[in-house]
């Protein structure tokens, strides 16, 4: 039998058998959609042979079974002609299985997300495109779109990560994030120059405009930028003046010699500040600044501050060797365990989930071994057997152990404490906890150095917060706030979802919320970390609740993903208690938290 005849015979058998099965299942419609590809691969080109074969089929079998090529519009037009009374109607989120790719190039995803927000600022500052043209916005948007496309590299990126095509496509993919960042910041520069922005030049005035470009009221801390040669000004006494009132604005100098101020701004509001030196006239003022050496100093003669220094009672935040505490918040930790309590003092309530398996912001590292860790085929086959678990049955998991604590800053506005952890797969992991003195807000910076490993890996950061059984978990997505495991389609993914700016726990009864912003990492793990049969929505028990981890790194997929996750990273989060808010207001707070205020130098 000729190959073409054999093909036709197989097609006839399979099509008739398929339609017979549909009738046995009482399939209710008079037609069925069938996907076809021009070649035996995805992303295939059109193939005229398909149309010719369909014409031939219809000549031979069209009296019983007719095949027609159709567009989506034609498909839905045909569907509307059917009896749809029994068609189920569902409404909700459809979490995308492909979203995990963002964690395979996490640093570039971080740059992409920053470019998104920067472009958002441009649109707020320059809505009529008077400074940055519509063409500027479209060019940046196109680069953002190209990076967001789901493919993350060449198909043999894990099997042969050294291949020129792998390297080429990796660079091209990542270049879209870089290009979007460049174009977004170029547009922002144009928008700020139109607002009397002062370009780099000698004798620039020490004047600054601070702008809230988000549609929500916010109280945030901002860094007042100084050029490198200007930091000598910090050695003298100065004031930060609010030009609209003439009053001094409280500020704090960080351990990095940055000026940090705290401002409350309404949506669209701006504030102009300037630095004014204070003249210390008279001998008394001079002697007040002289410090006499003491018998015991906390900083040794080499000038390195590495001896534990309890916080001074003059500061609003108290710090001991196992806690830090403001008027509204208290965080406790233990060596080898990590953070053990995160207390809202106004409610005398611990904001951590009592059933948590890991302490908040603890790193969790997973690696799945291969029989031969130097064999490309073994490296790939180990991955191909994982399925939707994203890890193997023999996965090895390690969670971080707190090994050191250091106070970096403490002053009138904030305190900054560093917690250092040990964990497999990472040669360095540190948390920077910045507790605000005047509001229930803690900003968290996760800094680490990831080892380069060819085996399939995952890195998570635990986020086990809660507000009790009455509060509901929401995620903020592009379409608005949604409750995972509730507001989604039946049969959809329970394990993880992509968020826009973060997540929050909301109590409708008390109109209270705990907001957790995810500035840099959009992937939220909700299902168990254990290797087991995965459940889809409506398969979970009614009393089961999602867990919350930031899924920050993965290289599990043998097709497209970058083979190694090695490198230096810093990812930012913030935890904030909000009062008298509904879910939509909390979304606004998340956007303000990640968007931050815009600060720039301006002319006289």
């Amino acid at each position: 039998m000729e190959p073409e005849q054999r093909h036709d015979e197989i097609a006839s058998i399979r099509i008739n058998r398929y339609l017979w099965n549909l009738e046995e299942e009482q399939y209710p419609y008079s037609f069925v959609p069938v996907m076809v590809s021009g070649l035996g691969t995805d992303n295939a080109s059109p193939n005229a042979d398909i149309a010719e074969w369909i014409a031939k089929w219809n000549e031979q079998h069209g009296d019983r079974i007719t095949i027609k090529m159709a567009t989506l519009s034609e498909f839905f037009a045909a569907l509307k002609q059917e009896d749809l009374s029994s068609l189920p109607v569902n409404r909700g989120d459809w979490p995308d299985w492909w979203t995990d790719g963002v964690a395979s190039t996490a640093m570039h995803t971080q740059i992409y997300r920053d470019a998104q927000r920067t472009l958002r600022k441009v649109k707020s500052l320059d809505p009529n495109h008077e400074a940055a043209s519509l063409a500027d916005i479209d060019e940046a948007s196109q680069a953002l779109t190209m990076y967001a496309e789901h493919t993350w590299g060449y198909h043999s990126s894990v099997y042969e990560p050294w291949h020129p095509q792998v390297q080429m496509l990796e660079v091209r993919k990542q270049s879209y994030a870089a290009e979007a960042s460049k174009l977004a910041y170029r547009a922002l520069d144009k928008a700020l120059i139109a607002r009397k922005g002062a370009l780099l030049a000698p004798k620039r005035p020490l004047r600054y405009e601070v702008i809230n470009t988000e549609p929500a009221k916010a109280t945030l801390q901002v860094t007042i930028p100084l050029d490198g040669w200007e930091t000598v000004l910090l050695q003298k006494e100065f004031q930060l003046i609010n030009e609209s009132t003439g009053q001094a604005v409280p500020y704090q100098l960080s351990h990095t010699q940055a000026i940090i101020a705290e401002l409350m701004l309404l949506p669209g509001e701006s504030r102009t500040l300037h630095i004014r030196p204070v003249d210390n006239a008279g001998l008394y003022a001079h002697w007040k600044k002289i410090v006499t050496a003491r018998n015991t100093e906390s900083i040794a003669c080499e000038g390195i501050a590495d001896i534990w220094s309890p916080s001074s009672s003059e500061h609003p935040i108290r710090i001991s060797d196992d806690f830090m505490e403001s008027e509204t918040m208290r965080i406790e930790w233990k060596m080898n365990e990590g953070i053990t309590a995160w207390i809202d003092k106004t409610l005398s309530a611990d904001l951590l989930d009592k059933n948590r398996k890991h302490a908040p912001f603890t790193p969790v590292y997973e690696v799945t071994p291969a029989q031969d860790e130097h064999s490309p085929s073994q490296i790939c086959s180990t991955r191909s057997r994982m399925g939707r678990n994203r890890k193997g049955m023999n996965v090895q998991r390690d969670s971080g152990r707190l090994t050191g604590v250091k106070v970096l800053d403490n002053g009138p506005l904030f305190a900054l404490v560093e917690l250092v952890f040990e964990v497999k797969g990472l040669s360095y992991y540190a948390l920077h906890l910045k507790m605000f003195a005047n509001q229930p807000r803690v900003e968290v910076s996760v800094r680490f150095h990831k080892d380069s490993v060819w085996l399939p890996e995952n890195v998570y950061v635990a986020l086990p917060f809660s507000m009790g059984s009455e509060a509901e978990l929401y995620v903020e997505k592009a379409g608005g706030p949604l409750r995972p495991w509730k507001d989604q389609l039946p049969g959809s993914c329970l394990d993880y979802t992509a968020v826009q700016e973060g997540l929050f726990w909301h109590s409708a009864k008390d109109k209270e919320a705990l907001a957790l912003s995810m500035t840099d990492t959009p992937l939220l793990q909700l299902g168990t970390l254990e290797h087991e049969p995965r459940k889809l929505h409506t398969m979970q028990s009614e009393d089961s609740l999602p867990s919350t981890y930031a899924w920050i790194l993965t290289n599990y997929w043998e097709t497209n993903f970058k083979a190694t996750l090695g490198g230096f990273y810093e990812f930012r989060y913030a935890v904030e208690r909000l009062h008298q808010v509904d879910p939509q207001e909390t979304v606004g707070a998340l956007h303000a938290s990640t968007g931050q205020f815009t600060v720039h130098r301006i002319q006289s």
Side-chain angles (χ1 to χ4, degrees), residues 190-246:
K190 292 179 179 180
L192 294 178
I193 289 170
R195 297 176 68 98
K196 299 183 179 180
L199 299 175
L200 183 64
K203 300 180 181 179
R204 274 200 300 178
L206 296 171
R207 297 183 74 230
Y208 304 87
E209 184 184 27
V210 184
I211 317 160
N212 180 9
T213 59
E214 296 295 335
K217 171 184 172 182
T219 301
L220 298 170
Q221 293 182 1
V222 297
T223 300
I224 305 300
L226 289 173
D227 292 317
W229 59 88
E230 293 176 324
T231 55
V232 65
L233 298 171
L234 305 183
Q235 298 174 13
K236 301 178 181 180
E237 191 175 351
F238 66 89
Q239 291 180 320
L240 189 62
I241 302 297
N242 178 353
E243 291 190 358
S244 64
T245 64

Side-chain angles (χ1 to χ4, degrees), residues 150-178:
H150 84 272
T151 303
W152 247 254
Y154 193 59
H155 70 87
S156 61
S157 58
V158 170
Y159 180 74
E160 43 186 0
W162 44 77
H163 193 284
Q165 192 81 345
V166 172
Q167 305 280 16
M168 183 191 305
L169 286 184
E170 178 184 320
V171 171
R172 287 186 185 179
K173 172 72 174 183
Q174 296 169 356
S175 71
Y176 288 123

Side-chain angles (χ1 to χ4, degrees), residues 330-382:
R330 178 183 171 94
I331 299 176
E332 301 173 2
W333 54 77
K334 289 182 182 178
M335 288 299 169
N336 292 317
E337 292 185 33
I339 296 171
T340 55
W342 198 297
I343 299 170
D344 179 348
K345 293 172 62 177
T346 61
L347 299 176
S348 299
D350 193 347
L351 300 176
L352 299 183
D353 184 354
K354 293 181 174 59
N355 298 317
R356 64 187 180 273
K357 293 186 176 180
H358 299 99
F361 297 102
T362 294
V364 180
Y365 172 72
E366 293 181 341
V367 62
T368 300
Q371 284 185 331
D372 184 351
E373 298 182 2
H374 303 286
S375 166
S377 60
Q378 285 288 324
I379 292 288
C380 281
S381 62
T382 298

Side-chain angles (χ1 to χ4, degrees), residues 21 28 134 168 192 271 322 404 410 422 464 531:
N21 281 335
L134 185 58
M168 183 191 305
L192 294 178
R271 193 83 45 87
D322 57 3
N410 199 2
E422 287 184 355
H531 183 287

Side-chain angles (χ1 to χ4, degrees), residues 101-372:
V102 298
S104 67
T105 52
M107 185 264 284
H108 297 86
T109 298
Q110 177 182 29
I111 292 171
Y112 161 85
R113 284 166 68 79
D114 178 72
Q116 271 188 321
R117 297 187 187 101
T118 302
L119 204 59
R120 197 164 77 203
K121 292 186 177 192
V122 174
K123 293 175 182 178
S124 174
L125 294 168
D126 185 29
N128 298 321
H129 312 297
E130 295 171 354
S133 69
L134 185 58
D136 293 334
I137 303 299
D138 288 345
E139 191 178 4
S141 299
Q142 175 66 15
L144 287 169
T145 300
M146 294 302 292
Y147 181 81
E149 192 275 331
H150 84 272
T151 303
W152 247 254
Y154 193 59
H155 70 87
S156 61
S157 58
V158 170
Y159 180 74
E160 43 186 0
W162 44 77
H163 193 284
Q165 192 81 345
V166 172
Q167 305 280 16
M168 183 191 305
L169 286 184
E170 178 184 320
V171 171
R172 287 186 185 179
K173 172 72 174 183
Q174 296 169 356
S175 71
Y176 288 123
E179 183 71 5
S181 177
K182 180 190 76 174
L183 294 171
Y185 274 98
R186 183 177 291 171
L188 179 62
D189 286 343
K190 292 179 179 180
L192 294 178
I193 289 170
R195 297 176 68 98
K196 299 183 179 180
L199 299 175
L200 183 64
K203 300 180 181 179
R204 274 200 300 178
L206 296 171
R207 297 183 74 230
Y208 304 87
E209 184 184 27
V210 184
I211 317 160
N212 180 9
T213 59
E214 296 295 335
K217 171 184 172 182
T219 301
L220 298 170
Q221 293 182 1
V222 297
T223 300
I224 305 300
L226 289 173
D227 292 317
W229 59 88
E230 293 176 324
T231 55
V232 65
L233 298 171
L234 305 183
Q235 298 174 13
K236 301 178 181 180
E237 191 175 351
F238 66 89
Q239 291 180 320
L240 189 62
I241 302 297
N242 178 353
E243 291 190 358
S244 64
T245 64
Q247 299 298 311
V249 176
Y251 67 85
Q252 180 175 332
L253 292 181
S254 74
H255 71 288
T256 59
Q257 293 299 291
I259 304 171
I260 311 295
E262 184 172 285
L263 300 172
M264 188 283 288
L265 294 177
L266 299 173
E269 186 181 5
S270 65
R271 193 83 45 87
T272 301
L273 311 174
H274 72 259
I275 296 174
R276 183 174 72 188
V278 175
D279 293 324
N280 293 308
L283 184 63
Y284 177 71
H286 169 72
W287 280 103
K288 274 178 63 178
K289 288 185 165 295
I290 294 178
V291 178
T292 302
R294 296 173 294 184
N295 183 51
T296 303
E297 294 286 351
S298 60
I299 301 178
C301 60
E302 78 276 10
I304 300 174
D306 54 2
I307 303 299
W308 176 267
S309 176
S311 62
S312 169
S313 58
E314 67 188 36
H315 299 315
I317 296 178
R318 293 196 308 123
I319 305 176
S320 182
D321 56 358
D322 57 3
F323 73 88
M324 64 190 306
E325 180 177 30
S326 69
E327 278 193 15
T328 56
M329 304 288 282
R330 178 183 171 94
I331 299 176
E332 301 173 2
W333 54 77
K334 289 182 182 178
M335 288 299 169
N336 292 317
E337 292 185 33
I339 296 171
T340 55
W342 198 297
I343 299 170
D344 179 348
K345 293 172 62 177
T346 61
L347 299 176
S348 299
D350 193 347
L351 300 176
L352 299 183
D353 184 354
K354 293 181 174 59
N355 298 317
R356 64 187 180 273
K357 293 186 176 180
H358 299 99
F361 297 102
T362 294
V364 180
Y365 172 72
E366 293 181 341
V367 62
T368 300
Q371 284 185 331
D372 184 351

